[in-house]
Amino acid sequence: MKAIVHVMLKDGVLDPQGDAVRHALGTLGFAGVQAVRQGKVIELDLAATDRAEAEAEVRAMCDKLLANTVIEKYTVAIA
Amino acid sequence: MKAIVHVMLKDGVLDPQGDAVRHALGTLGFAGVQAVRQGKVIELDLAATDRAEAEAEVRAMCDKLLANTVIEKYTVAIA
């Protein structure tokens, strides 16, 4: 079973990496970019076969390791 | 208009970051994780209002800056 986790900075948390990308795109001539936020995507191959169980396990992984929940939010999709 | 870009290492390209995450999850007791791949997700707010035009512009951004197409693949979703 495959899980896809998105980890993004929470709204309101400054994202200097995203700002750097926006600035770089501007210097390359892409003028229509108003804002950029950059995050992580993590694809996990899991041995679990139960969907609900897999999602609960992945959420535990996010809370313990994959995301810093003080400043980051995450979403879990089970495929 | 909002665009979401996923940038992942191509299949076959070693992903030491993903392997490190898998190992760390193992040491935390998550034994059922068979493989991990880590990539980037980039959210762009665009001034463009035409969907096809926006997608073409974002693909150009990926080719020029956001992805290293020698070792990385990307997907673009317009929301």
Side-chain angles (χ1 to χ4, degrees):
Chain A
M1 190 162 274
K2 201 163 185 171
I4 297 176
V5 176
H6 285 111
V7 180
M8 299 293 293
L9 286 169
K10 285 181 178 171
D11 299 332
V13 177
L14 286 177
D15 182 0
Q17 197 177 10
D19 286 342
V21 170
R22 186 175 56 81
H23 181 74
L25 288 170
T27 62
L28 285 173
F30 296 105
V33 182
Q34 294 165 334
V36 178
R37 304 282 286 176
Q38 184 165 338
K40 291 179 288 187
V41 56
I42 302 158
E43 292 183 2
L44 303 142
D45 285 330
L46 302 171
T49 50
D50 181 73
R51 205 183 172 82
E53 192 184 296
E55 183 168 344
E57 194 179 18
V58 173
R59 287 192 177 276
M61 291 177 201
C62 289
D63 290 328
K64 283 192 183 165
L65 180 76
L66 302 180
N68 174 0
T69 53
V70 176
I71 56 167
E72 291 173 328
K73 59 185 176 180
Y74 63 84
T75 58
V76 175
I78 305 289
Chain B
M1 191 163 275
K2 200 160 186 171
I4 296 176
V5 177
H6 285 109
V7 180
M8 299 292 293
L9 286 169
K10 285 180 179 170
D11 298 332
V13 177
L14 285 177
D15 182 359
Q17 197 176 12
D19 285 342
V21 170
R22 186 175 57 80
H23 181 74
L25 288 171
T27 62
L28 286 173
F30 296 104
V33 182
Q34 293 164 333
V36 178
R37 304 282 285 176
Q38 184 165 339
K40 290 179 288 188
V41 55
I42 302 158
E43 291 184 2
L44 302 142
D45 285 330
L46 301 171
T49 51
D50 181 72
R51 204 183 172 82
E53 192 185 297
E55 184 167 345
E57 195 180 17
V58 173
R59 287 191 178 279
M61 292 177 200
C62 289
D63 289 329
K64 283 192 183 165
L65 180 75
L66 302 179
N68 173 0
T69 53
V70 176
I71 56 168
E72 291 173 327
K73 58 185 177 181
Y74 63 83
T75 59
V76 175
I78 305 289

